[in-house]
Amino acid sequence: GSRVGCAFDELPTPFVDWCRSFVVAADKNNDNDENKNNTNRHHLLILFVSTTGDGEHCDSIRDTWKQLLSKSLPSDLFAGGGQRLSFVLFALGDRAYGPQFCAAGRKLAVRLLQLGMSTACEVGYGDDQTPNGGVFYDLDVWLQTQLLPLLCLKQ
């Protein structure tokens, strides 16, 4: 499997730009006086995670992954302070690797849940072997059925 592991770099540029502009727009919408004093804000983390051939995290997240595995982290790390933190995750992989398919994304989702974060929608799985487009076909389906409806509700 590839050791490059740059899942976000594999996504179409217009989609990446849209994600960045949505995050900036959402942050500006929350930047008024009423929201500044609101400790009950909801933060959404959007993650795209690729898996190397051995079911490992790619090099770009390896150090972060090791930190997240620390036994000294409290189980409510992401659950306190009056702020709700949830995540959406799209994992990229290849079913040809069997049980290692999207293993890095699956492991990250489980660990974030263990640390008190919640999922905002179903985890998406992109498979290189999907007919008619591979991971991009799977991404389109996940965007239409999971992420976009969620973001429309949050606006």
Side-chain angles (χ1 to χ4, degrees):
S2 169
R3 288 306 242 171
V4 177
C6 297
F8 208 64
D9 293 340
E10 296 297 320
L11 296 171
T13 301
F15 175 73
V16 173
D17 291 343
W18 177 85
C19 281
R20 288 183 178 133
S21 66
F22 182 84
V23 170
V24 169
D27 192 47
K28 285 181 181 175
N29 287 339
N30 284 324
D31 203 23
N32 61 41
D33 289 335
E34 181 180 317
N35 284 329
K36 283 182 184 177
N37 297 324
N38 185 357
T39 59
N40 199 21
R41 290 176 60 181
H42 185 219
H43 299 277
L44 180 66
L45 180 63
I46 301 173
L47 300 163
F48 296 89
V49 180
S50 62
T51 301
T52 65
D54 296 327
E56 298 289 323
H57 287 278
C58 62
D59 292 338
S60 62
I61 191 176
R62 195 170 312 263
D63 289 340
T64 302
W65 177 242
K66 286 179 184 175
Q67 291 174 353
L68 286 172
L69 289 177
S70 173
K71 293 182 193 280
S72 66
L73 294 176
S75 62
D76 63 349
L77 179 67
F78 298 119
Q83 295 188 9
R84 295 175 297 149
L85 185 58
S86 59
F87 69 93
V88 296
L89 188 145
F90 188 82
L92 297 97
D94 186 330
R95 287 198 191 276
Y97 288 94
Q100 301 302 338
F101 172 66
C102 292
R106 288 185 285 119
K107 288 188 260 185
L108 180 58
V110 167
R111 186 61 180 146
L112 292 175
L113 290 169
Q114 290 171 343
L115 295 173
M117 203 178 292
S118 62
T119 57
C121 67
E122 290 181 25
V123 172
Y125 298 100
D127 181 10
D128 284 339
Q129 302 300 318
T130 298
N132 302 320
V135 296
F136 296 113
Y137 176 82
D138 296 330
L139 176 62
D140 285 343
V141 170
W142 182 75
L143 288 172
Q144 294 300 317
T145 62
Q146 300 294 319
L147 184 59
L148 294 177
L150 173 73
L151 295 179
C152 288
L153 292 175
K154 297 232 177 270
Q155 290 182 352

